Amino acid sequence: MPSNQNTQGGKTFGVLKAQQRDRLEEINKEYMEDQKYRDEEDLAEKLDSFKNKYAEFDLNDQGDIDMMGLKRMMEKLGVPKTHLEMKKMISEVTGGSSETINYRDFVKMMLGKRSAVLKLVMIFEDKANGASGKPNGPPPKRDISSLP
């Protein structure tokens, strides 16, 4: 990256993230054109959501979620896992062919019919975030007569 040698860390990080999102968007276009996934409901929205989740946990911006990225993901979701459990999850997603999860494997897992542990956790998190019963803003004012 010779053109970015004089940029500061934050600018370089932004450039890397933009490049990563562009690469992920190209892969999303492949899935949009794939006959296998044509009849998938809300495919564009799902792929965009997957892209954002994946980019959030790809810590080294190399296009793969490694053990540390998966550990961070599980902790953020409130489901911390042991090293062995995470290895099993990665093996389940990649079919044992890799020690990292690439974006294609991630999308196949999320769109596929198999119920990988990671997929279940991600779906659970989306449902929990979308249907939070917490009211927004400060609690309503109450007077002494309304208390039990």
Side-chain angles (χ1 to χ4, degrees), residues 78-133:
V79 192
K81 299 285 184 187
T82 66
H83 186 78
L84 288 174
E85 288 172 319
M86 288 188 296
K87 275 186 123 170
K88 183 179 178 192
M89 290 169 73
I90 290 173
S91 175
E92 197 174 307
V93 172
T94 63
S97 63
S98 176
E99 292 185 8
T100 60
I101 300 172
N102 67 35
Y103 185 64
R104 289 179 201 282
D105 288 337
F106 183 77
V107 172
K108 280 181 192 171
M109 171 199 63
M110 295 302 286
L111 291 176
K113 304 299 182 221
R114 289 182 52 219
S115 59
V117 174
L118 181 57
K119 177 181 177 180
L120 297 174
V121 171
M122 298 292 290
I123 290 171
F124 173 75
E125 186 222 18
D126 283 344
K127 286 182 181 175
N129 287 346
S132 66

Side-chain angles (χ1 to χ4, degrees), residues 7-145:
T7 59
Q8 296 174 345
K11 291 179 184 176
T12 303
F13 180 76
V15 168
L16 285 173
K17 278 294 183 189
Q19 290 172 349
Q20 178 194 35
R21 289 189 186 277
D22 290 343
R23 284 191 307 267
L24 298 181
E25 192 59 42
E26 288 175 22
I27 295 171
N28 280 353
K29 286 178 186 173
E30 292 173 20
Y31 278 97
M32 291 295 290
E33 296 167 0
D34 191 342
Q35 294 293 332
K36 186 176 175 183
Y37 300 105
R38 279 271 164 96
D39 55 346
E40 184 76 30
E41 191 175 318
D42 299 326
L43 182 61
E45 291 86 21
K46 286 180 181 179
L47 289 173
D48 193 49
S49 170
F50 298 159
K51 177 181 72 171
N52 293 333
K53 283 282 183 219
Y54 190 85
E56 182 180 345
F57 295 107
D58 180 11
L59 300 180
N60 57 10
D61 297 319
Q62 297 296 315
D64 293 323
I65 294 179
D66 59 0
M67 189 71 71
M68 290 309 295
L70 184 60
K71 180 176 176 56
R72 181 173 169 228
M73 181 189 298
M74 292 294 107
E75 287 173 352
K76 186 172 182 186
L77 297 176
V79 192
K81 299 285 184 187
T82 66
H83 186 78
L84 288 174
E85 288 172 319
M86 288 188 296
K87 275 186 123 170
K88 183 179 178 192
M89 290 169 73
I90 290 173
S91 175
E92 197 174 307
V93 172
T94 63
S97 63
S98 176
E99 292 185 8
T100 60
I101 300 172
N102 67 35
Y103 185 64
R104 289 179 201 282
D105 288 337
F106 183 77
V107 172
K108 280 181 192 171
M109 171 199 63
M110 295 302 286
L111 291 176
K113 304 299 182 221
R114 289 182 52 219
S115 59
V117 174
L118 181 57
K119 177 181 177 180
L120 297 174
V121 171
M122 298 292 290
I123 290 171
F124 173 75
E125 186 222 18
D126 283 344
K127 286 182 181 175
N129 287 346
S132 66
K134 296 180 184 177
N136 292 334
K141 298 234 184 245
R142 298 172 69 178
D143 60 3
I144 197 81
S145 62

